[in-house]
CSV table of all heavy atoms in Angstrom, one decimal:
chain,number,residue,atom,x,y,z
A,216,ARG,N,14.0,-5.6,-14.4
A,216,ARG,CA,15.4,-5.5,-14.3
A,216,ARG,C,16.0,-4.1,-14.1
A,216,ARG,O,16.9,-3.8,-13.4
A,216,ARG,CB,16.1,-6.2,-15.5
A,216,ARG,CG,15.9,-7.8,-15.5
A,216,ARG,CD,16.8,-8.4,-16.4
A,216,ARG,NE,16.5,-8.1,-17.8
A,216,ARG,CZ,15.6,-8.8,-18.6
A,216,ARG,NH1,15.0,-9.9,-18.0
A,216,ARG,NH2,15.4,-8.5,-19.8
A,217,SER,N,15.4,-3.2,-14.9
A,217,SER,CA,15.8,-1.8,-14.8
A,217,SER,C,15.4,-1.2,-13.5
A,217,SER,O,16.2,-0.5,-12.9
A,217,SER,CB,15.0,-1.0,-16.0
A,217,SER,OG,15.3,0.4,-15.8
A,218,LEU,N,14.2,-1.5,-13.0
A,218,LEU,CA,13.8,-1.0,-11.7
A,218,LEU,C,14.7,-1.5,-10.6
A,218,LEU,O,15.1,-0.8,-9.7
A,218,LEU,CB,12.3,-1.3,-11.5
A,218,LEU,CG,11.8,-1.0,-10.1
A,218,LEU,CD1,11.9,0.5,-9.7
A,218,LEU,CD2,10.3,-1.5,-10.0
A,219,ARG,N,14.9,-2.8,-10.7
A,219,ARG,CA,15.7,-3.5,-9.6
A,219,ARG,C,17.2,-2.9,-9.6
A,219,ARG,O,17.7,-2.6,-8.5
A,219,ARG,CB,15.8,-5.0,-9.9
A,219,ARG,CG,16.4,-5.8,-8.7
A,219,ARG,CD,16.3,-7.2,-8.9
A,219,ARG,NE,14.9,-7.7,-8.8
A,219,ARG,CZ,14.5,-9.0,-9.0
A,219,ARG,NH1,15.4,-9.9,-9.2
A,219,ARG,NH2,13.2,-9.3,-8.9
A,220,LYS,N,17.7,-2.6,-10.7
A,220,LYS,CA,19.0,-1.9,-10.8
A,220,LYS,C,19.0,-0.5,-10.2
A,220,LYS,O,19.9,-0.1,-9.4
A,220,LYS,CB,19.5,-1.8,-12.3
A,220,LYS,CG,20.9,-1.3,-12.4
A,220,LYS,CD,21.3,-1.4,-13.9
A,220,LYS,CE,22.7,-0.9,-14.1
A,220,LYS,NZ,23.1,-0.9,-15.5
A,221,PHE,N,17.9,0.2,-10.4
A,221,PHE,CA,17.7,1.5,-9.8
A,221,PHE,C,17.6,1.4,-8.3
A,221,PHE,O,18.3,2.2,-7.6
A,221,PHE,CB,16.4,2.1,-10.4
A,221,PHE,CG,15.9,3.3,-9.6
A,221,PHE,CD1,16.5,4.6,-9.9
A,221,PHE,CD2,14.9,3.2,-8.7
A,221,PHE,CE1,16.0,5.7,-9.1
A,221,PHE,CE2,14.5,4.3,-8.0
A,221,PHE,CZ,15.0,5.6,-8.2
A,222,LEU,N,16.8,0.4,-7.8
A,222,LEU,CA,16.7,0.3,-6.4
A,222,LEU,C,17.9,-0.2,-5.7
A,222,LEU,O,18.2,0.2,-4.5
A,222,LEU,CB,15.5,-0.7,-6.1
A,222,LEU,CG,14.1,-0.2,-6.5
A,222,LEU,CD1,13.1,-1.3,-6.3
A,222,LEU,CD2,13.7,1.1,-5.7
A,223,GLU,N,18.7,-1.0,-6.4
A,223,GLU,CA,20.0,-1.4,-5.8
A,223,GLU,C,21.0,-0.3,-5.6
A,223,GLU,O,21.8,-0.3,-4.7
A,223,GLU,CB,20.6,-2.5,-6.7
A,223,GLU,CG,20.0,-3.8,-6.6
A,223,GLU,CD,20.4,-4.8,-7.7
A,223,GLU,OE1,21.2,-4.4,-8.6
A,223,GLU,OE2,20.0,-6.0,-7.6
A,224,LYS,N,20.8,0.8,-6.4
A,224,LYS,CA,21.6,2.0,-6.2
A,224,LYS,C,21.0,3.0,-5.3
A,224,LYS,O,21.7,3.6,-4.5
A,224,LYS,CB,21.8,2.6,-7.6
A,224,LYS,CG,22.7,3.9,-7.6
A,224,LYS,CD,22.8,4.5,-8.9
A,224,LYS,CE,23.6,5.9,-8.9
A,224,LYS,NZ,23.6,6.5,-10.2
A,225,GLU,N,19.7,3.2,-5.4
A,225,GLU,CA,19.0,4.3,-4.7
A,225,GLU,C,18.2,4.0,-3.4
A,225,GLU,O,17.8,4.9,-2.7
A,225,GLU,CB,18.1,5.0,-5.7
A,225,GLU,CG,18.7,5.6,-6.9
A,225,GLU,CD,19.7,6.7,-6.7
A,225,GLU,OE1,19.7,7.2,-5.6
A,225,GLU,OE2,20.4,7.1,-7.6
A,226,ALA,N,18.0,2.7,-3.2
A,226,ALA,CA,17.1,2.3,-2.1
A,226,ALA,C,17.8,1.3,-1.1
A,226,ALA,O,17.9,1.6,0.1
A,226,ALA,CB,15.8,1.7,-2.5
A,227,TYR,N,18.3,0.2,-1.6
A,227,TYR,CA,18.8,-0.8,-0.7
A,227,TYR,C,19.9,-0.3,0.2
A,227,TYR,O,19.9,-0.6,1.4
A,227,TYR,CB,19.4,-2.0,-1.5
A,227,TYR,CG,18.3,-3.0,-2.0
A,227,TYR,CD1,17.8,-2.9,-3.3
A,227,TYR,CD2,17.8,-4.0,-1.2
A,227,TYR,CE1,16.8,-3.8,-3.8
A,227,TYR,CE2,16.8,-4.9,-1.6
A,227,TYR,CZ,16.3,-4.8,-2.9
A,227,TYR,OH,15.4,-5.7,-3.4
A,228,PRO,N,20.9,0.5,-0.3
A,228,PRO,CA,22.0,0.9,0.5
A,228,PRO,C,21.6,1.9,1.7
A,228,PRO,O,22.3,2.0,2.7
A,228,PRO,CB,22.9,1.6,-0.4
A,228,PRO,CG,22.6,1.2,-1.8
A,228,PRO,CD,21.1,0.9,-1.7
A,229,PHE,N,20.4,2.5,1.5
A,229,PHE,CA,20.0,3.6,2.4
A,229,PHE,C,18.8,3.2,3.3
A,229,PHE,O,18.4,3.9,4.2
A,229,PHE,CB,19.6,4.8,1.6
A,229,PHE,CG,20.7,5.3,0.7
A,229,PHE,CD1,20.5,5.1,-0.7
A,229,PHE,CD2,21.9,5.8,1.1
A,229,PHE,CE1,21.4,5.5,-1.6
A,229,PHE,CE2,22.8,6.2,0.2
A,229,PHE,CZ,22.6,6.0,-1.2
A,230,TYR,N,18.3,2.0,3.1
A,230,TYR,CA,17.0,1.6,3.7
A,230,TYR,C,17.2,1.6,5.3
A,230,TYR,O,16.3,2.1,6.0
A,230,TYR,CB,16.5,0.3,3.2
A,230,TYR,CG,15.1,0.0,3.7
A,230,TYR,CD1,14.0,0.6,2.9
A,230,TYR,CD2,14.8,-0.8,4.8
A,230,TYR,CE1,12.7,0.4,3.3
A,230,TYR,CE2,13.5,-1.0,5.2
A,230,TYR,CZ,12.4,-0.4,4.5
A,230,TYR,OH,11.1,-0.6,4.9
A,231,ASP,N,18.2,1.0,5.8
A,231,ASP,CA,18.4,1.0,7.2
A,231,ASP,C,18.5,2.4,7.8
A,231,ASP,O,18.0,2.7,8.9
A,231,ASP,CB,19.7,0.2,7.6
A,231,ASP,CG,19.5,-1.3,7.4
A,231,ASP,OD1,18.4,-1.8,7.3
A,231,ASP,OD2,20.6,-2.0,7.3
A,232,GLN,N,19.1,3.3,7.1
A,232,GLN,CA,19.2,4.7,7.5
A,232,GLN,C,17.8,5.3,7.5
A,232,GLN,O,17.5,6.0,8.5
A,232,GLN,CB,20.1,5.5,6.6
A,232,GLN,CG,20.3,7.0,6.9
A,232,GLN,CD,21.1,7.7,5.9
A,232,GLN,OE1,21.8,7.1,5.1
A,232,GLN,NE2,20.9,9.0,5.8
A,233,TRP,N,17.0,5.0,6.5
A,233,TRP,CA,15.7,5.6,6.5
A,233,TRP,C,14.9,5.0,7.7
A,233,TRP,O,14.0,5.7,8.3
A,233,TRP,CB,15.0,5.2,5.2
A,233,TRP,CG,15.6,5.7,3.9
A,233,TRP,CD1,16.5,6.8,3.9
A,233,TRP,CD2,15.4,5.4,2.6
A,233,TRP,NE1,16.9,7.0,2.6
A,233,TRP,CE2,16.2,6.2,1.8
A,233,TRP,CE3,14.5,4.4,2.0
A,233,TRP,CZ2,16.2,6.0,0.4
A,233,TRP,CZ3,14.5,4.3,0.6
A,233,TRP,CH2,15.4,5.1,-0.2
A,234,GLU,N,15.1,3.8,8.0
A,234,GLU,CA,14.4,3.2,9.2
A,234,GLU,C,14.7,3.9,10.4
A,234,GLU,O,13.9,4.2,11.3
A,234,GLU,CB,14.7,1.7,9.3
A,234,GLU,CG,14.1,0.8,8.3
A,234,GLU,CD,12.7,0.4,8.7
A,234,GLU,OE1,12.5,-0.5,9.6
A,234,GLU,OE2,11.7,0.9,8.2
A,235,GLU,N,16.0,4.2,10.6
A,235,GLU,CA,16.5,4.9,11.8
A,235,GLU,C,15.9,6.4,11.8
A,235,GLU,O,15.6,6.9,12.9
A,235,GLU,CB,18.0,4.9,11.8
A,235,GLU,CG,18.6,3.6,12.1
A,235,GLU,CD,20.2,3.7,12.2
A,235,GLU,OE1,20.7,4.8,12.2
A,235,GLU,OE2,20.8,2.6,12.1
A,236,GLU,N,15.9,7.0,10.7
A,236,GLU,CA,15.4,8.4,10.6
A,236,GLU,C,13.9,8.5,10.6
A,236,GLU,O,13.4,9.6,10.7
A,236,GLU,CB,16.0,9.0,9.3
A,236,GLU,CG,17.5,9.2,9.4
A,236,GLU,CD,18.1,9.7,8.1
A,236,GLU,OE1,17.3,9.8,7.1
A,236,GLU,OE2,19.3,10.1,8.1
A,237,ARG,N,13.2,7.3,10.5
A,237,ARG,CA,11.8,7.3,10.5
A,237,ARG,C,11.2,8.1,9.3
A,237,ARG,O,10.1,8.7,9.4
A,237,ARG,CB,11.2,7.8,11.8
A,237,ARG,CG,11.6,7.0,13.0
A,237,ARG,CD,11.1,5.6,12.9
A,237,ARG,NE,10.9,4.9,14.2
A,237,ARG,CZ,11.8,4.1,14.8
A,237,ARG,NH1,12.9,3.9,14.1
A,237,ARG,NH2,11.5,3.5,15.9
A,238,MET,N,11.8,8.1,8.2
A,238,MET,CA,11.4,8.9,7.0
A,238,MET,C,12.1,8.5,5.7
A,238,MET,O,13.3,8.2,5.8
A,238,MET,CB,11.6,10.4,7.3
A,238,MET,CG,10.9,11.3,6.2
A,238,MET,SD,9.1,11.3,6.3
A,238,MET,CE,8.9,12.3,7.8
A,239,ILE,N,11.3,8.4,4.7
A,239,ILE,CA,11.9,8.2,3.3
A,239,ILE,C,12.1,9.6,2.7
A,239,ILE,O,11.1,10.4,2.7
A,239,ILE,CB,11.0,7.4,2.4
A,239,ILE,CG1,10.9,5.9,3.0
A,239,ILE,CG2,11.6,7.3,1.0
A,239,ILE,CD1,9.8,5.1,2.4
A,240,PRO,N,13.3,10.0,2.3
A,240,PRO,CA,13.5,11.4,1.8
A,240,PRO,C,12.7,11.7,0.6
A,240,PRO,O,12.5,10.8,-0.3
A,240,PRO,CB,15.0,11.5,1.6
A,240,PRO,CG,15.4,10.0,1.4
A,240,PRO,CD,14.5,9.2,2.3
A,241,ARG,N,12.3,12.9,0.4
A,241,ARG,CA,11.6,13.4,-0.8
A,241,ARG,C,12.5,13.2,-2.0
A,241,ARG,O,12.0,13.0,-3.1
A,241,ARG,CB,11.2,14.8,-0.7
A,241,ARG,CG,10.1,15.1,0.3
A,241,ARG,CD,9.6,16.5,0.3
A,241,ARG,NE,8.8,16.7,-0.9
A,241,ARG,CZ,7.4,16.7,-1.0
A,241,ARG,NH1,6.8,16.5,0.2
A,241,ARG,NH2,6.8,16.9,-2.1
A,242,SER,N,13.8,13.2,-1.8
A,242,SER,CA,14.7,13.1,-3.0
A,242,SER,C,14.5,11.7,-3.6
A,242,SER,O,14.7,11.6,-4.8
A,242,SER,CB,16.2,13.2,-2.5
A,242,SER,OG,16.5,12.3,-1.5
A,243,PHE,N,14.2,10.7,-2.8
A,243,PHE,CA,14.0,9.4,-3.4
A,243,PHE,C,12.7,9.4,-4.3
A,243,PHE,O,12.7,8.8,-5.4
A,243,PHE,CB,13.8,8.3,-2.3
A,243,PHE,CG,13.5,6.9,-2.8
A,243,PHE,CD1,14.4,6.2,-3.5
A,243,PHE,CD2,12.2,6.4,-2.6
A,243,PHE,CE1,14.1,4.9,-4.0
A,243,PHE,CE2,11.8,5.2,-3.1
A,243,PHE,CZ,12.8,4.4,-3.8
A,244,TRP,N,11.7,10.0,-3.8
A,244,TRP,CA,10.4,10.2,-4.6
A,244,TRP,C,10.7,10.9,-5.9
A,244,TRP,O,10.3,10.5,-6.9
A,244,TRP,CB,9.4,11.0,-3.8
A,244,TRP,CG,8.7,10.3,-2.7
A,244,TRP,CD1,9.2,10.2,-1.4
A,244,TRP,CD2,7.4,9.7,-2.7
A,244,TRP,NE1,8.3,9.5,-0.6
A,244,TRP,CE2,7.2,9.2,-1.4
A,244,TRP,CE3,6.5,9.5,-3.7
A,244,TRP,CZ2,6.0,8.5,-1.1
A,244,TRP,CZ3,5.3,8.9,-3.4
A,244,TRP,CH2,5.1,8.4,-2.1
A,245,GLU,N,11.5,11.9,-5.8
A,245,GLU,CA,11.9,12.7,-7.0
A,245,GLU,C,12.7,11.8,-8.0
A,245,GLU,O,12.5,11.9,-9.2
A,245,GLU,CB,12.6,13.9,-6.7
A,245,GLU,CG,11.7,15.0,-5.9
A,245,GLU,CD,12.5,16.0,-5.2
A,245,GLU,OE1,13.8,16.0,-5.2
A,245,GLU,OE2,11.9,16.9,-4.6
A,246,LYS,N,13.6,11.0,-7.5
A,246,LYS,CA,14.3,10.1,-8.4
A,246,LYS,C,13.4,9.0,-9.0
A,246,LYS,O,13.6,8.7,-10.2
A,246,LYS,CB,15.5,9.4,-7.6
A,246,LYS,CG,16.6,10.4,-7.2
A,246,LYS,CD,17.6,9.7,-6.3
A,246,LYS,CE,18.7,10.7,-5.9
A,246,LYS,NZ,19.6,10.1,-4.9
A,247,MET,N,12.5,8.5,-8.2
A,247,MET,CA,11.5,7.6,-8.8
A,247,MET,C,10.7,8.3,-9.9
A,247,MET,O,10.5,7.7,-11.0
A,247,MET,CB,10.5,7.2,-7.7
A,247,MET,CG,11.0,6.2,-6.7
A,247,MET,SD,11.1,4.5,-7.2
A,247,MET,CE,9.4,4.1,-7.2
A,248,GLY,N,10.3,9.5,-9.7
A,248,GLY,CA,9.6,10.3,-10.8
A,248,GLY,C,10.5,10.5,-12.0
A,248,GLY,O,10.0,10.3,-13.1
A,249,GLU,N,11.7,10.8,-11.8
A,249,GLU,CA,12.6,11.1,-13.0
A,249,GLU,C,12.7,9.8,-13.9
A,249,GLU,O,12.9,9.9,-15.1
A,249,GLU,CB,14.0,11.5,-12.4
A,249,GLU,CG,14.1,12.9,-11.9
A,249,GLU,CD,15.4,13.1,-11.2
A,249,GLU,OE1,16.3,12.2,-11.3
A,249,GLU,OE2,15.6,14.1,-10.5
A,250,GLN,N,12.7,8.7,-13.2
A,250,GLN,CA,12.8,7.4,-14.0
A,250,GLN,C,11.5,6.8,-14.5
A,250,GLN,O,11.5,5.8,-15.1
A,250,GLN,CB,13.5,6.4,-13.1
A,250,GLN,CG,14.9,6.8,-12.6
A,250,GLN,CD,15.9,7.0,-13.8
A,250,GLN,OE1,15.9,6.2,-14.7
A,250,GLN,NE2,16.7,8.1,-13.7
A,251,GLY,N,10.4,7.5,-14.2
A,251,GLY,CA,9.1,7.1,-14.7
A,251,GLY,C,8.5,6.0,-13.9
A,251,GLY,O,7.6,5.3,-14.4
A,252,TYR,N,8.9,5.9,-12.6
A,252,TYR,CA,8.3,4.9,-11.7
A,252,TYR,C,7.1,5.4,-10.9
A,252,TYR,O,6.6,4.6,-10.1
A,252,TYR,CB,9.4,4.3,-10.8
A,252,TYR,CG,10.6,3.7,-11.6
A,252,TYR,CD1,11.9,3.9,-11.2
A,252,TYR,CD2,10.3,2.8,-12.6
A,252,TYR,CE1,12.9,3.4,-11.9
A,252,TYR,CE2,11.4,2.2,-13.3
A,252,TYR,CZ,12.7,2.5,-12.9
A,252,TYR,OH,13.7,1.9,-13.6
A,253,LEU,N,6.7,6.6,-11.1
A,253,LEU,CA,5.6,7.1,-10.4
A,253,LEU,C,4.4,7.2,-11.3
A,253,LEU,O,4.5,7.9,-12.4
A,253,LEU,CB,5.9,8.5,-9.7
A,253,LEU,CG,6.9,8.5,-8.6
A,253,LEU,CD1,7.1,9.9,-8.0
A,253,LEU,CD2,6.5,7.5,-7.5
A,254,CYS,N,3.3,6.6,-11.0
A,254,CYS,CA,2.0,6.7,-11.8
A,254,CYS,C,2.3,6.4,-13.3
A,254,CYS,O,1.8,7.1,-14.2
A,254,CYS,CB,1.4,8.1,-11.7
A,254,CYS,SG,1.4,8.7,-10.0
A,255,PRO,N,3.0,5.3,-13.6
A,255,PRO,CA,3.3,5.0,-15.1
A,255,PRO,C,2.0,4.7,-15.9
A,255,PRO,O,2.1,4.8,-17.1
A,255,PRO,CB,4.2,3.8,-15.0
A,255,PRO,CG,3.8,3.1,-13.7
A,255,PRO,CD,3.5,4.2,-12.8
A,256,ASP,N,0.9,4.4,-15.3
A,256,ASP,CA,-0.3,3.9,-16.0
A,256,ASP,C,-1.2,5.1,-16.5
A,256,ASP,O,-2.1,4.9,-17.2
A,256,ASP,CB,-1.1,2.9,-15.2
A,256,ASP,CG,-1.5,3.4,-13.9
A,256,ASP,OD1,-0.8,4.2,-13.3
A,256,ASP,OD2,-2.6,3.0,-13.4
A,257,ILE,N,-0.9,6.3,-16.0
A,257,ILE,CA,-1.8,7.4,-16.3
A,257,ILE,C,-1.5,7.9,-17.7
A,257,ILE,O,-0.4,7.6,-18.3
A,257,ILE,CB,-1.8,8.6,-15.3
A,257,ILE,CG1,-0.5,9.3,-15.3
A,257,ILE,CG2,-2.1,8.0,-13.9
A,257,ILE,CD1,-0.5,10.6,-14.4
A,258,ASP,N,-2.4,8.8,-18.3
A,258,ASP,CA,-2.3,9.2,-19.7
A,258,ASP,C,-1.0,10.1,-19.9
A,258,ASP,O,-0.5,10.8,-19.0
A,258,ASP,CB,-3.5,10.1,-20.0
A,258,ASP,CG,-4.8,9.3,-20.1
A,258,ASP,OD1,-4.7,8.1,-20.1
A,258,ASP,OD2,-5.8,9.9,-20.2
A,259,GLU,N,-0.5,10.0,-21.1
A,259,GLU,CA,0.8,10.7,-21.4
A,259,GLU,C,0.6,12.2,-21.3
A,259,GLU,O,1.6,12.9,-20.9
A,259,GLU,CB,1.2,10.3,-22.8
A,259,GLU,CG,1.8,8.9,-23.0
A,259,GLU,CD,2.3,8.7,-24.4
A,259,GLU,OE1,2.2,9.6,-25.2
A,259,GLU,OE2,2.7,7.5,-24.7
A,260,GLU,N,-0.6,12.7,-21.5
A,260,GLU,CA,-0.8,14.2,-21.4
A,260,GLU,C,-0.6,14.7,-20.0
A,260,GLU,O,-0.4,15.9,-19.8
A,260,GLU,CB,-2.2,14.6,-21.9
A,260,GLU,CG,-3.3,14.1,-21.1
A,260,GLU,CD,-4.7,14.6,-21.6
A,260,GLU,OE1,-4.8,15.8,-21.7
A,260,GLU,OE2,-5.5,13.8,-22.0
A,261,TYR,N,-0.7,13.8,-19.0
A,261,TYR,CA,-0.4,14.2,-17.6
A,261,TYR,C,0.9,13.7,-17.1
A,261,TYR,O,1.2,13.8,-15.9
A,261,TYR,CB,-1.5,13.6,-16.7
A,261,TYR,CG,-2.9,14.0,-17.2
A,261,TYR,CD1,-3.9,13.1,-17.5
A,261,TYR,CD2,-3.3,15.4,-17.3
A,261,TYR,CE1,-5.2,13.4,-17.9
A,261,TYR,CE2,-4.6,15.7,-17.7
A,261,TYR,CZ,-5.5,14.7,-18.0
A,261,TYR,OH,-6.8,15.1,-18.4
A,262,GLY,N,1.8,13.2,-18.0
A,262,GLY,CA,3.1,12.8,-17.6
A,262,GLY,C,3.3,11.3,-17.4
A,262,GLY,O,4.4,10.9,-17.1
Side-chain angles (χ1 to χ4, degrees):
R216 289 194 293 271
S217 175
L218 173 58
R219 190 171 291 181
K220 187 176 181 180
F221 166 82
L222 293 173
E223 285 170 354
K224 179 183 178 184
E225 302 293 349
Y227 281 98
F229 309 109
Y230 193 82
D231 288 341
Q232 179 185 339
W233 297 346
E234 285 276 285
E235 289 179 13
E236 294 174 350
R237 299 297 204 263
M238 188 71 75
I239 296 166
R241 291 188 74 100
S242 59
F243 175 72
W244 285 83
E245 291 162 358
K246 289 173 183 175
M247 288 280 290
E249 288 171 7
Q250 298 300 316
Y252 299 135
L253 295 181
C254 316
D256 56 328
I257 70 173
D258 292 349
E259 287 184 1
E260 66 176 300
Y261 304 122

